[in-house]
Each structure stands twice: as C-alpha cells, then as structure tokens.
Amino acid sequence: MKGHNENQHFQPERRRLLVVAIAGLIVGAVVISGLIRSAESSFFCSLAGSKARAVAEYTATPIQLRAILHYATSKIVPQQSFGEVSVSFNVLEEISPCNFLVFGLGFDSLMWSSLNPRGTTLFLEEDPKWVQTVLKDAPNLNAHTVRYRTQLKESDDLLSTYKKEPLCAPSKAYLRGNQQCKLALESLPEEVYEKEWDMIMIDAPRGYFPEAPGRMGAIFSAAVMARQRKGSGVTHVFLHDVDRKVEKAFAAEFLCKKYLKKAVGRLWHFEIPSAMNRTVGDGGVDSFC
C-alpha cells in the first residue's frame, strides 16, 4: 500500500489485463462465498428453505460490488502484481471470513476488503491526509492513522541492539504500552490488540528514504502477535518489498526463514505458529526463530 508515494506505473495493456484479473478474483470470491454458505445451510435446512437462503447469500456484499465497479472503471490498479496478489487470495479463499490486519492503505485496499467478505479487515496508515483521500472514494473501509517511533536510518542499530532490552525478548515482549522496546508498536488502535489476527499484510509504512518510519516495527510486532496467538492454527504473515535490505534482514530475524512458505515476486508468505505450539527444538519461547 505504497499508494501516493511508491506507486508503480503500468503500460496501458498491462493495466487492462491486471484490472480484469483483479475483478475476476473479486467475482470469484463472491461465487465461492455463496456456494460455501449455501452448501453449509443445505445440511440443516429443507430444500426449499436452503434454495431461498442460497439466493440471498450468493448476493455480493456492498464492499464487493463497490470494488468491482471501482477496478472496472479506474485507471489505477493495485501495487502488487497479479502473482503476488494471488498468494494472499489463495489463503483468503481457504480461511475467509477471518481477521485480516493490513499495514498500509492504498489502491489495493478496496480489493483486500472485498476478498474477505463478512470478515474483519483493518488498515493502518501513517499519513492522515492519505487516509482522508482514500476514504473519500471508499468510505466503507476500516482504516486508522497510526504513529511510528522509528526511522529507517536507525534500522541497523535497532537490529543489533534490541536483544539488550528485556521487553524486546521473545518470551517477554508485548505491544500495548511497551515503551521500553522501540520496535514494539505500543499505541495502536484498541481493536488491533483486542483481536487475534489470522492474516497480517505488511506493505507499509514507507521505507525508501532515511527519515521514513521503515517497516522494522511492523515486522517485529507481527511476529509478537503471531507468537501470542491462543487460537488454533498459524498466523499468515505477508511481507512485500523483500528486495529491500531492511525488509529482508528483519524478516530473517523475526519472521524466520523456516516459516517461509512461498515467495512470489517481491512478496514472502510466512506461516508462523504460536509460541505455545512450539517445541524447544523449534526455537521455543526464548527465540523468535
């Protein structure tokens, strides 16, 4: 979700193809959602009743309809390639409706929200003016402005010194109110702390100039959230722009190469188990990896 600052430029033909592909994914999500829900209801309802419900449940949600209209008429397309988008879509296809936390707000936000119908999709963005701009065209998106304490130029020092702070340690780290650990995102909206997130997409904040916040805190905090998961299953973490030094180094330190499930283009997909489901040989509670 580089949005206004890290937007890619597409050739007209490539743009048209990507718009068609994205619209196809959204329509597919509508069809799949309807079929799954109608199939579930058929086990418990009479044939007539289930048919009536199937018609209602097959209907697209308002956010899906808005997304189809938006991408069908817009010259601006999502920042990620079709292959990169498909990685997250395949997971959403399996686990939606789910809790989906997205670092960043941009031209692809309406798409992500529409691909998780009846789930919770929350966007975190650093620029309040950009939030207003995006919400003007997509008022149904759930987006919050957040503050970051780091700068990209501090990344090397943060990576080499975080172990000296006890509250950055994997067995003691937490997020809400943790001012001692500079990598912890300590003042996010309460909704972030109150939910367990099944999917976390890290495509922000900005990380392409020295004074930018960088994604160090987002990567560390995603790892902490995944480790503290109490529900069943893993946390799916998607990190974009892995061709950059900082993203690559912090992913190796906190998201762990052994949890990397798929790499497409500049996107890495991790499946991170909770700390309570790890063994000592798997890093245990005293190591992120």
Side-chain angles (χ1 to χ4, degrees):
M1 295 74 186
K2 274 69 71 175
H4 51 312
N5 286 314
E6 297 180 71
N7 183 27
Q8 295 179 354
H9 299 282
F10 292 87
Q11 296 177 349
E13 183 61 26
R14 184 182 175 191
R15 180 185 293 118
R16 283 193 292 271
L17 290 173
L18 187 54
V19 166
V20 171
I22 296 302
L25 287 179
I26 297 169
V27 172
V30 174
V31 173
I32 292 169
S33 176
L35 290 176
I36 291 175
R37 290 171 65 86
S38 65
E40 289 175 346
S41 65
S42 65
F43 284 107
F44 307 102
C45 307
S46 66
L47 181 61
S50 65
K51 281 185 177 179
R53 263 183 290 275
V55 172
E57 292 168 349
Y58 190 85
T59 304
T61 63
I63 194 73
Q64 288 175 322
L65 293 174
R66 181 181 287 273
I68 293 171
L69 178 63
H70 171 79
Y71 291 114
T73 58
S74 176
K75 295 181 179 179
I76 301 174
V77 295
Q79 291 86 351
Q80 294 184 23
S81 69
F82 179 73
E84 292 168 343
V85 169
S86 297
V87 175
S88 307
F89 172 77
N90 290 338
V91 177
L92 281 167
E93 196 174 21
E94 292 183 8
I95 69 174
S96 180
C98 65
N99 293 331
F100 188 9
L101 179 64
V102 184
F103 285 89
L105 186 69
F107 301 126
D108 46 8
S109 298
L110 192 57
M111 174 191 69
W112 292 129
S113 187
S114 70
L115 292 176
N116 187 31
R118 303 173 182 87
T120 297
T121 305
L122 176 63
F123 300 92
L124 304 179
E125 169 59 40
E126 62 177 297
D127 185 349
K129 291 183 179 179
W130 180 241
V131 172
Q132 293 177 6
T133 298
V134 173
L135 292 185
K136 190 178 298 183
D137 294 328
N140 292 332
L141 294 179
N142 184 7
H144 295 275
T145 303
V146 296
R147 177 183 61 87
Y148 294 92
R149 296 185 287 168
T150 58
Q151 290 188 329
L152 187 66
K153 61 186 178 183
E154 303 172 321
S155 60
D156 289 341
D157 183 60
L158 288 169
L159 192 59
S160 63
T161 62
Y162 83 91
K163 293 181 180 178
K164 297 178 181 178
E165 171 50 57
L167 293 184
C168 285
S171 60
K172 297 181 180 179
Y174 61 95
L175 299 182
R176 184 197 276 119
N178 186 354
Q179 297 183 358
Q180 286 75 22
C181 179
K182 195 171 182 179
L183 286 171
L185 299 181
E186 91 294 0
S187 59
L188 296 175
E190 283 301 308
E191 184 178 1
V192 178
Y193 303 127
E194 291 171 355
K195 290 184 180 293
E196 283 198 347
W197 299 97
D198 306 297
M199 293 179 57
I200 302 175
M201 173 74 72
I202 304 173
D203 206 358
R206 293 171 295 172
Y208 58 95
F209 61 94
E211 290 74 27
R215 299 180 186 172
M216 302 83 70
I219 294 171
F220 174 86
S221 297
V224 172
M225 284 187 253
R227 288 178 57 83
Q228 294 179 347
R229 182 181 182 88
K230 295 180 175 60
S232 61
V234 299
T235 301
H236 297 271
V237 179
F238 304 87
L239 177 62
H240 199 223
D241 297 317
V242 295
D243 55 321
R244 302 194 302 208
K245 173 187 173 183
V246 170
E247 278 79 356
K248 192 173 296 183
F250 275 74
E253 183 72 16
F254 299 112
L255 303 181
C256 313
K257 289 184 178 180
K258 64 184 175 183
Y259 300 136
L260 179 62
K261 303 303 291 185
K262 197 162 189 177
V264 175
R266 297 182 295 128
L267 183 83
W268 284 352
H269 169 209
F270 298 85
E271 292 184 1
I272 304 179
S274 68
M276 62 190 301
N277 291 332
R278 301 185 192 188
T279 63
V280 174
D282 194 31
V285 298
D286 295 322
S287 171
F288 280 100
C289 296

Coordinates of all heavy atoms in Angstrom, one line a residue, residues 189-258:
P189 N -4.6 1.3 17.6 CA -6.0 1.3 18.0 C -6.3 0.1 18.8 O -5.7 -1.0 18.6 CB -6.7 1.3 16.7 CG -5.8 1.9 15.7 CD -4.4 1.5 16.1
E190 N -7.2 0.2 19.8 CA -7.5 -0.9 20.7 C -8.0 -2.1 19.9 O -7.7 -3.3 20.4 CB -8.6 -0.5 21.7 CG -8.1 0.4 22.8 CD -7.0 -0.3 23.6 OE1 -7.2 -1.4 24.1 OE2 -5.9 0.3 23.8
E191 N -8.6 -1.9 18.8 CA -9.1 -3.1 18.0 C -8.0 -4.0 17.6 O -8.2 -5.2 17.5 CB -9.9 -2.6 16.8 CG -10.5 -3.7 16.0 CD -11.3 -3.2 14.8 OE1 -11.3 -1.9 14.5 OE2 -11.8 -4.0 14.0
V192 N -6.8 -3.4 17.4 CA -5.7 -4.3 17.0 C -5.3 -5.2 18.1 O -5.0 -6.4 17.9 CB -4.5 -3.4 16.6 CG1 -3.3 -4.2 16.2 CG2 -4.8 -2.5 15.4
Y193 N -5.3 -4.7 19.3 CA -4.8 -5.5 20.5 C -5.9 -6.5 20.9 O -5.6 -7.5 21.5 CB -4.5 -4.6 21.6 CG -3.4 -3.6 21.3 CD1 -3.6 -2.3 21.6 CD2 -2.1 -4.0 20.8 CE1 -2.6 -1.3 21.3 CE2 -1.2 -3.1 20.5 CZ -1.4 -1.8 20.8 OH -0.4 -0.8 20.5
E194 N -7.2 -6.2 20.7 CA -8.3 -7.0 21.2 C -8.5 -8.2 20.3 O -9.1 -9.2 20.8 CB -9.5 -6.1 21.3 CG -9.5 -5.1 22.3 CD -10.6 -4.1 22.3 OE1 -11.4 -4.2 21.3 OE2 -10.7 -3.2 23.1
K195 N -8.1 -8.2 19.1 CA -8.4 -9.4 18.2 C -7.1 -10.2 18.0 O -6.0 -9.7 18.1 CB -8.9 -8.9 16.8 CG -10.3 -8.3 16.8 CD -10.7 -7.9 15.4 CE -12.1 -7.3 15.4 NZ -13.1 -8.3 15.8
E196 N -7.4 -11.5 17.6 CA -6.3 -12.3 17.1 C -6.4 -12.3 15.6 O -7.4 -12.5 15.0 CB -6.4 -13.7 17.6 CG -6.0 -13.9 19.0 CD -5.7 -15.4 19.4 OE1 -6.1 -16.3 18.6 OE2 -5.1 -15.6 20.4
W197 N -5.3 -11.9 14.9 CA -5.3 -11.7 13.5 C -4.8 -13.0 12.8 O -3.7 -13.5 13.0 CB -4.4 -10.5 13.1 CG -4.9 -9.3 13.8 CD1 -4.5 -8.7 14.9 CD2 -6.0 -8.5 13.3 NE1 -5.2 -7.6 15.3 CE2 -6.2 -7.5 14.3 CE3 -6.9 -8.6 12.2 CZ2 -7.2 -6.5 14.2 CZ3 -7.9 -7.6 12.1 CH2 -8.0 -6.6 13.1
D198 N -5.7 -13.5 11.9 CA -5.4 -14.7 11.1 C -4.4 -14.4 10.0 O -3.6 -15.2 9.6 CB -6.7 -15.3 10.6 CG -7.7 -15.5 11.6 OD1 -7.4 -16.3 12.5 OD2 -8.8 -14.9 11.6
M199 N -4.5 -13.2 9.5 CA -3.6 -12.8 8.4 C -3.1 -11.3 8.7 O -3.9 -10.5 9.1 CB -4.4 -12.7 7.0 CG -4.8 -14.1 6.5 SD -5.7 -14.1 4.9 CE -4.5 -13.2 3.9
I200 N -1.8 -11.1 8.4 CA -1.2 -9.8 8.6 C -0.4 -9.5 7.3 O 0.5 -10.2 6.9 CB -0.3 -9.8 9.8 CG1 -1.0 -10.1 11.1 CG2 0.3 -8.4 9.9 CD1 -0.1 -10.2 12.3
M201 N -0.8 -8.4 6.7 CA -0.1 -8.0 5.5 C 0.7 -6.7 5.8 O 0.2 -5.8 6.4 CB -1.1 -7.6 4.4 CG -0.5 -6.9 3.1 SD 0.4 -8.1 2.1 CE -1.0 -9.0 1.4
I202 N 2.0 -6.8 5.5 CA 2.9 -5.7 5.8 C 3.4 -5.1 4.5 O 4.3 -5.6 3.8 CB 4.2 -6.1 6.6 CG1 3.7 -6.8 7.9 CG2 5.1 -4.9 6.9 CD1 4.8 -7.5 8.7
D203 N 2.8 -4.0 4.1 CA 3.1 -3.3 2.8 C 3.2 -1.8 3.1 O 3.1 -0.9 2.3 CB 2.0 -3.5 1.8 CG 2.5 -3.4 0.4 OD1 3.7 -3.1 0.2 OD2 1.8 -3.5 -0.6
A204 N 3.5 -1.5 4.4 CA 3.7 -0.1 4.9 C 4.3 -0.3 6.3 O 4.3 -1.4 6.8 CB 2.4 0.6 4.9
P205 N 4.8 0.8 6.9 CA 4.8 2.2 6.3 C 5.9 2.4 5.3 O 6.6 1.4 4.9 CB 5.1 3.0 7.6 CG 5.9 2.1 8.5 CD 5.4 0.8 8.2
R206 N 6.2 3.6 4.9 CA 7.2 4.0 3.9 C 8.6 3.5 4.4 O 8.9 3.6 5.6 CB 7.2 5.5 3.6 CG 5.9 5.9 2.9 CD 5.9 7.5 2.9 NE 5.8 8.0 4.2 CZ 5.9 9.4 4.5 NH1 6.1 10.2 3.5 NH2 5.8 9.8 5.7
G207 N 9.4 3.1 3.4 CA 10.7 2.6 3.8 C 11.7 2.8 2.7 O 12.5 1.9 2.4
Y208 N 11.7 4.0 2.1 CA 12.5 4.2 0.9 C 13.4 5.5 1.0 O 14.0 5.9 0.1 CB 11.7 4.2 -0.4 CG 10.6 5.3 -0.4 CD1 10.8 6.5 -1.0 CD2 9.4 5.0 0.1 CE1 9.8 7.4 -1.0 CE2 8.3 5.9 0.1 CZ 8.6 7.1 -0.5 OH 7.5 8.0 -0.5
F209 N 13.4 6.1 2.2 CA 14.3 7.2 2.5 C 14.7 7.3 4.0 O 13.9 6.7 4.8 CB 13.7 8.6 2.0 CG 12.4 9.0 2.7 CD1 12.4 9.8 3.8 CD2 11.2 8.5 2.2 CE1 11.2 10.2 4.4 CE2 10.0 8.9 2.8 CZ 10.0 9.7 4.0
P210 N 15.8 7.8 4.3 CA 16.3 7.7 5.7 C 15.4 8.1 6.8 O 15.3 7.4 7.9 CB 17.6 8.6 5.7 CG 18.0 8.6 4.3 CD 16.7 8.5 3.5
E211 N 14.6 9.1 6.6 CA 13.7 9.6 7.7 C 12.3 8.9 7.7 O 11.5 9.2 8.6 CB 13.5 11.1 7.5 CG 14.7 12.0 7.9 CD 15.8 11.9 6.7 OE1 15.4 11.7 5.6 OE2 17.0 12.0 7.0
A212 N 12.1 8.0 6.8 CA 10.8 7.3 6.8 C 10.8 6.3 8.0 O 11.8 5.9 8.5 CB 10.7 6.4 5.5
P213 N 9.6 6.0 8.4 CA 9.5 5.1 9.6 C 10.1 3.7 9.4 O 10.6 3.1 10.3 CB 8.0 5.0 9.8 CG 7.4 6.2 9.1 CD 8.3 6.4 7.9
G214 N 10.1 3.2 8.1 CA 10.6 1.9 7.9 C 9.6 0.8 8.5 O 8.7 1.1 9.2
R215 N 9.8 -0.4 8.1 CA 8.9 -1.5 8.5 C 9.4 -2.3 9.6 O 8.9 -3.4 9.9 CB 8.5 -2.3 7.3 CG 7.8 -1.5 6.2 CD 7.5 -2.3 5.0 NE 7.0 -1.4 4.0 CZ 6.7 -1.7 2.7 NH1 6.9 -2.9 2.3 NH2 6.2 -0.8 1.9
M216 N 10.4 -1.8 10.3 CA 11.0 -2.6 11.4 C 10.0 -3.0 12.5 O 9.9 -4.1 12.9 CB 12.2 -1.9 12.0 CG 13.3 -1.5 11.0 SD 13.0 0.0 10.0 CE 13.2 1.3 11.3
G217 N 9.3 -1.9 12.9 CA 8.3 -2.1 14.0 C 7.1 -3.0 13.6 O 6.7 -3.8 14.3
A218 N 6.7 -2.8 12.3 CA 5.6 -3.6 11.8 C 6.0 -5.1 11.8 O 5.2 -6.0 12.1 CB 5.1 -3.1 10.5
I219 N 7.2 -5.4 11.3 CA 7.6 -6.8 11.2 C 7.8 -7.4 12.6 O 7.3 -8.5 12.9 CB 9.0 -6.9 10.4 CG1 8.7 -6.5 9.0 CG2 9.6 -8.3 10.5 CD1 10.0 -6.3 8.2
F220 N 8.4 -6.7 13.5 CA 8.6 -7.2 14.9 C 7.3 -7.4 15.5 O 7.0 -8.4 16.2 CB 9.4 -6.1 15.7 CG 9.5 -6.5 17.2 CD1 10.5 -7.3 17.6 CD2 8.6 -5.9 18.1 CE1 10.6 -7.6 19.0 CE2 8.7 -6.2 19.4 CZ 9.7 -7.1 19.9
S221 N 6.3 -6.4 15.4 CA 5.0 -6.5 16.1 C 4.2 -7.7 15.5 O 3.4 -8.3 16.2 CB 4.3 -5.2 16.0 OG 5.0 -4.2 16.7
A222 N 4.3 -7.9 14.2 CA 3.6 -9.0 13.6 C 4.1 -10.3 14.2 O 3.3 -11.3 14.4 CB 3.8 -9.0 12.1
A223 N 5.4 -10.4 14.4 CA 6.0 -11.6 15.0 C 5.5 -11.8 16.4 O 5.1 -13.0 16.8 CB 7.5 -11.6 15.0
V224 N 5.4 -10.7 17.2 CA 4.9 -10.8 18.5 C 3.4 -11.3 18.6 O 3.0 -12.2 19.3 CB 5.1 -9.5 19.3 CG1 4.4 -9.5 20.6 CG2 6.5 -9.1 19.4
M225 N 2.6 -10.7 17.7 CA 1.2 -11.1 17.6 C 1.0 -12.6 17.3 O 0.2 -13.3 17.8 CB 0.5 -10.2 16.6 CG 0.2 -8.8 17.1 SD -0.9 -7.9 15.9 CE 0.3 -6.8 15.2
A226 N 1.8 -13.0 16.3 CA 1.8 -14.4 15.9 C 2.2 -15.3 17.0 O 1.5 -16.4 17.2 CB 2.7 -14.6 14.7
R227 N 3.2 -15.0 17.7 CA 3.7 -15.8 18.9 C 2.7 -15.9 20.0 O 2.6 -16.9 20.7 CB 5.0 -15.3 19.4 CG 6.2 -15.5 18.5 CD 7.4 -14.8 19.1 NE 7.7 -15.4 20.4 CZ 8.4 -16.5 20.7 NH1 8.8 -17.2 19.7 NH2 8.6 -17.0 21.9
Q228 N 1.9 -14.9 20.2 CA 0.9 -14.8 21.3 C -0.4 -15.3 20.9 O -1.3 -15.3 21.7 CB 0.8 -13.4 21.8 CG 2.1 -12.8 22.4 CD 2.0 -11.4 22.9 OE1 1.1 -10.7 22.5 NE2 3.0 -11.0 23.7
R229 N -0.6 -15.9 19.7 CA -1.8 -16.4 19.3 C -2.3 -17.5 20.2 O -1.5 -18.4 20.5 CB -1.7 -16.9 17.9 CG -3.0 -17.5 17.3 CD -2.8 -18.0 15.9 NE -4.0 -18.5 15.3 CZ -4.9 -17.8 14.6 NH1 -4.6 -16.5 14.4 NH2 -6.0 -18.3 14.1
K230 N -3.5 -17.5 20.6 CA -4.1 -18.5 21.5 C -5.0 -19.5 20.8 O -5.3 -20.6 21.2 CB -4.8 -17.9 22.7 CG -3.9 -17.1 23.6 CD -4.7 -16.5 24.8 CE -3.8 -15.8 25.8 NZ -3.0 -14.7 25.1
G231 N -5.5 -19.0 19.7 CA -6.4 -19.9 18.9 C -5.7 -20.9 18.1 O -4.5 -21.0 18.1
S232 N -6.4 -21.8 17.4 CA -5.8 -22.9 16.7 C -5.2 -22.3 15.4 O -5.5 -21.2 14.9 CB -6.9 -23.9 16.3 OG -7.9 -23.3 15.5
G233 N -4.3 -23.1 14.8 CA -3.7 -22.7 13.5 C -2.6 -21.7 13.6 O -2.2 -21.3 14.7
V234 N -2.1 -21.3 12.5 CA -0.9 -20.4 12.4 C -1.4 -19.0 12.0 O -2.6 -18.8 11.7 CB 0.1 -20.9 11.3 CG1 0.6 -22.3 11.6 CG2 -0.6 -20.9 9.9
T235 N -0.5 -18.1 12.1 CA -0.8 -16.7 11.6 C -0.1 -16.6 10.3 O 1.1 -16.8 10.2 CB -0.2 -15.6 12.6 OG1 -0.9 -15.8 13.9 CG2 -0.5 -14.2 12.1
H236 N -0.8 -16.2 9.3 CA -0.2 -15.9 8.0 C 0.3 -14.5 7.9 O -0.5 -13.6 8.0 CB -1.3 -16.2 6.9 CG -1.8 -17.6 6.8 ND1 -1.2 -18.6 6.1 CD2 -2.9 -18.2 7.5 CE1 -1.9 -19.7 6.3 NE2 -2.9 -19.5 7.1
V237 N 1.5 -14.4 7.6 CA 2.1 -13.0 7.5 C 2.7 -12.9 6.1 O 3.5 -13.7 5.6 CB 3.3 -12.8 8.6 CG1 3.9 -11.4 8.4 CG2 2.7 -13.0 10.0
F238 N 2.3 -11.8 5.5 CA 2.7 -11.5 4.1 C 3.6 -10.2 4.1 O 3.1 -9.2 4.6 CB 1.5 -11.3 3.2 CG 0.6 -12.4 3.2 CD1 -0.4 -12.5 4.1 CD2 0.7 -13.5 2.2 CE1 -1.3 -13.6 4.1 CE2 -0.1 -14.6 2.2 CZ -1.1 -14.6 3.2
L239 N 4.8 -10.3 3.6 CA 5.7 -9.1 3.6 C 6.0 -8.7 2.2 O 6.6 -9.6 1.4 CB 7.0 -9.5 4.4 CG 8.1 -8.4 4.4 CD1 7.5 -7.1 5.1 CD2 9.3 -8.9 5.1
H240 N 5.8 -7.5 1.8 CA 6.0 -7.0 0.5 C 7.3 -6.2 0.5 O 7.8 -5.7 1.5 CB 4.9 -6.2 0.0 CG 4.8 -6.0 -1.5 ND1 4.6 -4.8 -2.1 CD2 5.1 -6.9 -2.5 CE1 4.6 -5.0 -3.5 NE2 4.9 -6.3 -3.7
D241 N 7.9 -6.1 -0.7 CA 9.2 -5.3 -0.9 C 10.4 -6.0 -0.3 O 11.2 -5.4 0.3 CB 9.1 -3.9 -0.4 CG 8.0 -3.1 -1.2 OD1 7.9 -3.2 -2.4 OD2 7.2 -2.3 -0.6
V242 N 10.4 -7.3 -0.4 CA 11.5 -8.1 0.2 C 12.8 -8.0 -0.6 O 13.8 -8.5 -0.2 CB 11.1 -9.6 0.4 CG1 10.0 -9.7 1.4 CG2 10.8 -10.2 -1.0
D243 N 12.8 -7.2 -1.7 CA 14.0 -7.0 -2.4 C 14.8 -5.9 -1.7 O 16.0 -5.7 -2.1 CB 13.7 -6.5 -3.8 CG 12.8 -5.3 -3.9 OD1 11.8 -5.3 -3.1 OD2 13.0 -4.5 -4.8
R244 N 14.3 -5.3 -0.7 CA 15.0 -4.2 0.0 C 15.7 -4.8 1.2 O 15.3 -5.8 1.9 CB 14.0 -3.1 0.5 CG 13.3 -2.5 -0.7 CD 12.6 -1.2 -0.4 NE 11.6 -1.2 0.6 CZ 10.5 -0.4 0.7 NH1 10.4 0.5 -0.3 NH2 9.7 -0.5 1.6
K245 N 16.8 -4.2 1.6 CA 17.7 -4.7 2.6 C 17.0 -4.8 4.0 O 17.1 -5.9 4.7 CB 18.9 -3.8 2.8 CG 19.8 -4.1 3.9 CD 20.9 -3.0 4.1 CE 21.7 -3.2 5.4 NZ 22.7 -2.2 5.6
V246 N 16.3 -3.8 4.4 CA 15.7 -3.8 5.8 C 14.6 -4.9 5.9 O 14.6 -5.6 6.9 CB 15.2 -2.4 6.1 CG1 14.3 -2.5 7.4 CG2 16.3 -1.4 6.3
E247 N 13.7 -4.9 4.9 CA 12.7 -5.9 4.9 C 13.3 -7.3 5.0 O 12.8 -8.2 5.8 CB 11.8 -5.8 3.7 CG 10.7 -4.7 3.8 CD 11.3 -3.3 3.5 OE1 12.5 -3.2 3.3 OE2 10.5 -2.4 3.5
K248 N 14.3 -7.6 4.2 CA 14.9 -8.9 4.2 C 15.6 -9.3 5.5 O 15.4 -10.4 6.0 CB 15.9 -8.9 3.0 CG 16.4 -10.3 2.7 CD 17.3 -10.3 1.4 CE 16.5 -9.9 0.2 NZ 17.3 -9.9 -1.0
A249 N 16.3 -8.3 6.1 CA 17.0 -8.6 7.3 C 16.1 -8.8 8.5 O 16.3 -9.7 9.3 CB 18.0 -7.4 7.6
F250 N 15.1 -7.9 8.6 CA 14.1 -8.1 9.7 C 13.2 -9.3 9.6 O 12.8 -9.9 10.6 CB 13.3 -6.8 9.9 CG 14.1 -5.7 10.7 CD1 15.1 -5.0 10.2 CD2 13.7 -5.5 12.0 CE1 15.8 -4.1 10.9 CE2 14.4 -4.5 12.8 CZ 15.4 -3.8 12.2
A251 N 12.9 -9.7 8.4 CA 12.2 -10.9 8.1 C 13.0 -12.1 8.6 O 12.4 -13.0 9.3 CB 11.8 -11.0 6.7
A252 N 14.2 -12.1 8.3 CA 15.1 -13.2 8.7 C 15.2 -13.3 10.2 O 15.2 -14.4 10.8 CB 16.5 -13.1 8.1
E253 N 15.2 -12.2 10.9 CA 15.4 -12.1 12.3 C 14.1 -12.5 13.1 O 14.2 -13.2 14.1 CB 15.9 -10.8 12.8 CG 16.2 -10.6 14.2 CD 17.4 -11.3 14.7 OE1 18.3 -11.7 13.8 OE2 17.6 -11.5 15.9
F254 N 13.0 -12.0 12.6 CA 11.7 -12.1 13.4 C 10.7 -13.0 12.8 O 9.9 -13.7 13.5 CB 11.2 -10.7 13.7 CG 12.1 -9.8 14.4 CD1 12.6 -8.7 13.8 CD2 12.4 -10.1 15.7 CE1 13.5 -7.9 14.5 CE2 13.3 -9.3 16.4 CZ 13.8 -8.1 15.8
L255 N 10.6 -13.1 11.5 CA 9.6 -14.0 10.8 C 10.1 -15.3 10.5 O 9.3 -16.3 10.4 CB 9.0 -13.3 9.6 CG 8.4 -11.9 9.8 CD1 7.9 -11.3 8.4 CD2 7.3 -11.9 10.8
C256 N 11.4 -15.4 10.3 CA 12.1 -16.7 10.3 C 12.0 -17.4 8.9 O 10.9 -17.7 8.5 CB 11.7 -17.7 11.4 SG 11.6 -16.8 13.0
K257 N 13.2 -17.8 8.4 CA 13.2 -18.4 7.1 C 12.5 -19.8 7.1 O 11.9 -20.2 6.1 CB 14.6 -18.6 6.6 CG 15.3 -17.2 6.2 CD 16.7 -17.4 5.6 CE 17.3 -16.1 5.2 NZ 18.6 -16.3 4.6
K258 N 12.6 -20.5 8.2 CA 12.0 -21.8 8.3 C 10.5 -21.8 8.3 O 9.8 -22.8 8.0 CB 12.4 -22.5 9.6 CG 12.0 -21.9 10.9 CD 12.6 -22.7 12.0 CE 12.3 -22.0 13.4 NZ 12.9 -22.8 14.5

